[in-house]
Amino acid sequence: MTDQRLRELFDDLAGTLPEGSSRAGELWRQGTRSRSRRRWTVAAAAAAAAAAATVTALVVAGIAVFPEPVERAVTARPSVTPTPAIPPVMDTAPPPSAQAGLPAVATGLPERWADIPVVTAVPGPVLALAEYGDGRIYVMKSGGRIPLDVKLADSVDAGGNVAGPLKPNSLAPDGTMAAFPQKDEVVVVDLVVGQARRYPVPGFNEVVLWRGGRLLVEQEEANYLLDLATGEVRRQPYKGFMGVAGYRDLRIVSPDEGGWTVVREGESEVELDVRDITNEGSMPVGMLGNHGWQRGGLVARSVLARYDRGKPADVVVVADIATGRVVRTLLLPWGDPPDMRCGKIGCSVRGWIGQDTVIIESADRLIGWNIGTGALSRVADLPKGVIVYSLRGW
């Protein structure tokens, strides 16, 4: 039989297929079914062709030449293509010089801290604490800033390095109390009645994180949980600066080389896969002043990012606490001098506004990032004279 005649027979058989079918594909599938099905198909094809008996025999022989390889192909395991993980949405912040044009978001916090007058008393809730260039700590309210009249010493670490007593997490989430780590003690101030209490906590205390009626006190060599009602101090089975600010006892733990960053709560932990997001493929922790912040079922933290040709940038990562899944990210390129935005510890997360907006420090400005829409806004402008500050929760 000629090649032309064989093609004609296949065209005749294809004419019996439904409209829209792939003729070659359907013929191949028919040819790879079971032997009994194949015999029936061949016989039907031969009858439809109305060819001579000898030609029919040739057609049968031609179609049945490769039975065993076809059978092996049918019984082979099907290949499964894994569904690729969908990367989180990455938003990008404008250059620092363009941040002044962002829309303002209402928080009750004064927009320009340089304009807040010094007063002796003013009604209203405490919105923040701030240390100005005069070395004093002020209680910030919408109507003015009040000097905090409590004797405090600088905090000191084991290497003799000195830092001010005010920390980014000093103010309680409800704005009613403030805590200051000191060597061998923690000073807690009731901002409503103006009274201070000193709790003995041994060692070089450097960080405090609120846990409801308790404080997690962090040191390089030890962590303690301080019960403010009883004064009981319990040493924790971990150390260093890995705690998360917020209402839950969370820690973000850096991996050993080649491992994954994890979010831990009590005895449970989930992997936080940031290998394709951050500069080191992990989330290094232990930097004073750059803690994660929790709100509801989410945690937000900033870290050095992978960026265009090695240019410095930070990325704010928001992850689901229960699963470790990265929900959304914000890229903050540092920019070029003199228009730069991130300091020694990067563009740190400083809290939340409600459940959907993360507060981020960007140069001398606080910006809000809505994780539902990706929109950016201005929260407050910080004068260069503000050395450190602590915000309440909103």
Side-chain angles (χ1 to χ4, degrees):
M1 177 187 296
T2 65
D3 291 342
Q4 179 61 33
R5 181 55 181 157
L6 187 57
R7 283 195 293 269
E8 291 173 356
L9 291 175
F10 270 86
D11 288 339
D12 291 339
L13 180 58
T16 64
L17 300 177
E19 183 178 358
S21 300
S22 171
R23 295 189 300 172
E26 184 63 26
L27 290 173
W28 178 256
R29 287 192 291 273
Q30 289 186 13
T32 56
R33 291 170 183 160
S34 65
R35 289 185 177 88
S36 61
R37 176 63 175 167
R38 184 166 47 257
R39 292 192 187 100
W40 181 91
T41 303
V42 172
T54 55
V55 175
T56 303
L58 287 173
V59 174
V60 173
I63 297 179
V65 163
F66 310 104
E68 291 304 318
V70 169
E71 288 296 332
R72 284 194 293 270
V74 171
T75 57
R77 295 180 180 177
S79 61
V80 178
T81 303
T83 302
I86 300 175
V89 175
M90 176 173 280
D91 303 311
T92 301
S97 58
Q99 293 178 158
L102 294 174
V105 60
T107 62
L109 196 67
E111 183 179 339
R112 301 185 184 279
W113 285 25
D115 301 334
I116 303 175
V118 179
V119 297
T120 56
V122 65
V126 177
L127 304 175
L129 300 173
E131 180 183 344
Y132 277 69
D134 59 5
R136 301 203 66 174
I137 296 174
Y138 292 87
V139 177
M140 313 288 286
K141 296 187 177 183
S142 60
R145 52 186 170 109
I146 307 165
L148 182 66
D149 189 18
V150 176
K151 185 177 180 179
L152 298 168
D154 289 337
S155 62
V156 182
D157 65 14
N161 300 301
V162 178
L166 178 61
K167 307 300 178 184
N169 312 305
S170 284
L171 186 60
D174 63 1
T176 61
M177 304 184 78
F180 305 93
Q182 310 271 273
K183 185 179 183 299
D184 294 326
E185 69 176 3
V186 173
V187 178
V188 178
V189 181
D190 186 323
L191 299 174
V192 178
V193 299
Q195 293 181 345
R197 180 177 176 182
R198 297 176 183 270
Y199 295 86
V201 180
F204 296 96
N205 304 303
E206 297 186 68
V207 173
V208 287
L209 296 168
W210 286 89
R211 298 288 185 258
R214 300 181 295 178
L215 282 172
L216 178 64
V217 184
E218 293 185 333
Q219 305 175 9
E220 187 175 354
E221 297 299 329
N223 281 188
Y224 293 95
L225 194 62
L226 168 62
D227 189 309
L228 299 181
T230 64
E232 179 187 9
V233 177
R234 288 188 295 150
R235 185 163 182 163
Q236 302 301 291
Y238 44 81
K239 61 182 181 180
F241 310 104
M242 295 176 285
V244 172
Y247 299 90
R248 294 166 59 171
D249 190 16
L250 299 173
R251 292 184 300 136
I252 298 176
V253 181
S254 284
D256 296 329
E257 187 174 352
W260 288 39
T261 298
V262 298
V263 179
R264 289 181 181 164
E265 184 171 20
E267 299 298 322
S268 64
E269 68 177 34
V270 294
E271 295 169 336
L272 179 59
D273 188 3
V274 292
R275 289 174 295 179
D276 296 326
I277 299 173
T278 69
N279 188 48
E280 300 184 15
S282 60
M283 187 171 282
V285 295
M287 297 179 65
L288 293 178
N290 190 11
H291 284 73
W293 285 78
Q294 170 261 333
R295 176 60 64 94
L298 301 174
V299 62
R301 188 180 182 274
S302 69
V303 68
L304 277 173
R306 296 186 183 277
Y307 187 49
D308 182 31
R309 293 185 294 277
K311 292 181 180 179
D314 267 30
V315 62
V316 178
V317 176
V318 176
D320 186 284
I321 295 170
T323 64
R325 179 179 64 88
V326 177
V327 175
R328 198 166 186 138
T329 61
L330 173 65
L331 184 69
L332 298 119
W334 285 16
D336 299 317
D339 188 26
M340 296 187 70
R341 63 157 47 98
C342 296
K344 292 187 300 182
I345 59 174
C347 292
S348 302
V349 173
R350 292 305 188 206
W352 290 75
I353 302 172
Q355 300 290 333
D356 59 5
T357 301
V358 181
I359 303 174
I360 303 161
E361 180 180 306
S362 178
D364 56 354
R365 182 171 287 109
L366 297 178
I367 61 174
W369 170 46
N370 188 299
I371 61 171
T373 65
L376 295 174
S377 56
R378 285 183 297 109
V379 175
D381 292 343
L382 307 176
K384 295 187 182 300
V386 172
I387 299 172
V388 66
Y389 57 89
S390 178
L391 306 176
R392 68 170 292 164
W394 279 280

